[in-house]
Amino acid sequence: MMFPETRLRRLRYNSVLRDMVTETKLSVDDLVMPLFVCAGTNVRNPISSMPGNFQLSVENLVEECKDVVASGVKAVLLFGIPAEKDEDGTVACQHNGIVQQAIRAIKAELPNLYIIADVCNCEYTTHGHCGTIIDGDVDNDTTLETLAAQSVSLAESGADMIAPSDMMDGRVGRIREALDENKFEKIPIMAYSAKYASGFYGPFREAAESAPKFGNRATYQMNPANSDEAMREVELDIAEGADIVMVKPALSFLDIIYRVKTEFKMPTAAYNVSGEFSMLKAAAEKDWIDGPRVMMEILTSIKRAGADIIITYSAVDAAKILNGIKG
């Protein structure tokens, strides 16, 4: 039937009915809050390009996690800023590494908070690249060994999930092998499978102090123009043992999220990255947009595209809206 028998507005006149026929419903269960932990005590350094986010020393991170839990968010993703860096990132593999300390401290007070540990070397190397530099570029296979050691160390500290973000070839398989060899076969891997060489990472690099000192990351992160290549990356990660695959960034790559979910039917995460967050905050600050409304619209679009898990700096704010918490 056509108009006038069919009138699609009939489903829109009443708010109760609109809620009944809503196709995509965002849930607090979808959200993961990224946090930055740094060396020192009583540190709460505001991240200027990411309003409301901070570099936190371990004790302040624990307090921040309590606020996360109070909002209803059940999972955090941890990034570390160490006191000292080295050439190959082995500082990230130490028993008393900054993220390892943070995991133990959080678990001591919030044992049910789900902790996802990012695995990469960019925050830990003096040059800011994601692995060991040989002949002017990141050496893939040498870097795999550091990533595997870092993953085992984080699992030993109590991480619930390992999330390699480096984009080295073969890293999921090597990490899975190392975890299993060390009796961590129950620890899942969430792979940053389709991670693009994006301009949206700028505020994060301030937050994590991880900007490369030379060149860029185009030899290991993906070309933003490519879609089929992302499917190959995802397929390889699944074959190597990834339990969850991720697309990063999210907002400019909704088509990639849709393709990944449609083609592979795998648990799919999307990272609503720092630049996306900061653009929203800047526009809202100037009263150009309704910040909370646009935030929820963005997150809903990411879920509508196919994401099961949304990593976002808006997690706590969105959870408060979803749970009807004021303030």
Side-chain angles (χ1 to χ4, degrees), residues 7 21 123 167 174 195 210 224 260 307 320:
R7 292 177 181 265
V21 298
E123 304 106 298
M167 287 300 286
R174 181 67 190 94
K195 180 178 179 180
S210 62
V260 169
K320 288 179 178 177

Side-chain angles (χ1 to χ4, degrees), residues 118-313:
D118 179 83
V119 172
C120 193
N121 290 332
C122 59
E123 304 106 298
Y124 304 100
T125 55
T126 53
H127 45 73
H129 279 282
C130 297
T132 302
I133 300 296
I134 297 178
D135 296 330
D137 195 11
V138 175
D139 186 76
N140 192 95
D141 295 7
T142 302
T143 300
L144 295 185
E145 299 310 309
T146 311
L147 298 170
Q150 184 182 354
S151 298
V152 171
S153 178
L154 292 165
E156 289 173 342
S157 298
D160 297 295
M161 181 185 289
I162 298 299
S165 61
D166 54 283
M167 287 300 286
M168 297 298 112
D169 291 332
R171 90 271 203 208
V172 173
R174 181 67 190 94
I175 290 170
R176 182 74 272 163
E177 179 184 39
L179 290 172
D180 291 355
E181 287 174 350
N182 287 274
K183 309 300 182 186
F184 292 114
E185 65 276 355
K186 293 182 180 179
I187 298 293
I189 295 175
M190 177 170 65
Y192 290 63
S193 299
K195 180 178 179 180
Y196 287 87
S198 171
F200 283 101
Y201 303 148
F204 174 92
R205 290 176 182 174
E206 176 198 348
E209 300 179 10
S210 62
K213 297 296 189 293
F214 65 90
N216 56 46
R217 294 176 177 149
T219 66
Y220 43 103
Q221 294 178 359
M222 283 185 55
N223 182 344
N226 292 357
S227 175
D228 290 341
E229 183 185 9
M231 300 308 107
R232 296 183 67 193
E233 288 280 8
V234 170
E235 184 176 26
L236 286 168
D237 281 357
I238 293 169
E240 290 176 23
D243 302 284
I244 301 167
V245 293
M246 187 198 299
V247 177
K248 179 184 180 183
L251 194 55
S252 293
F253 298 91
L254 296 176
D255 59 320
I256 307 301
I257 298 170
Y258 178 79
R259 281 195 66 182
V260 169
K261 189 62 179 178
T262 301
E263 294 186 24
F264 296 101
K265 306 291 192 297
M266 282 284 291
T268 303
Y271 201 141
N272 178 213
V273 300
S274 60
E276 297 166 355
F277 170 85
S278 297
M279 288 193 306
L280 171 66
K281 287 293 187 181
E285 183 180 346
K286 291 182 176 293
D287 291 325
W288 290 345
I289 60 172
D290 180 336
R293 178 180 177 180
V294 174
M295 172 186 70
M296 298 304 285
E297 187 174 332
I298 288 170
L299 297 177
T300 299
S301 75
I302 295 168
K303 182 165 185 179
R304 188 183 65 240
D308 303 292
I309 299 167
I310 303 173
I311 302 161
T312 174
Y313 302 96

Side-chain angles (χ1 to χ4, degrees), residues 48-96:
S48 62
S49 57
M50 297 173 64
N53 289 267
F54 303 85
Q55 294 177 338
L56 299 163
S57 53
V58 170
E59 80 283 0
N60 283 336
L61 177 73
V62 172
E63 295 305 309
E64 189 78 9
C65 285
K66 291 178 182 177
D67 291 340
V68 171
V69 171
S71 76
V73 174
K74 301 173 183 177
V76 295
L77 173 62
L78 297 185
F79 297 94
I81 304 115
E84 296 182 359
K85 305 188 179 193
D86 57 37
E87 285 297 305
D88 56 9
T90 54
V91 65
C93 309
Q94 297 172 355
H95 175 75
N96 284 323

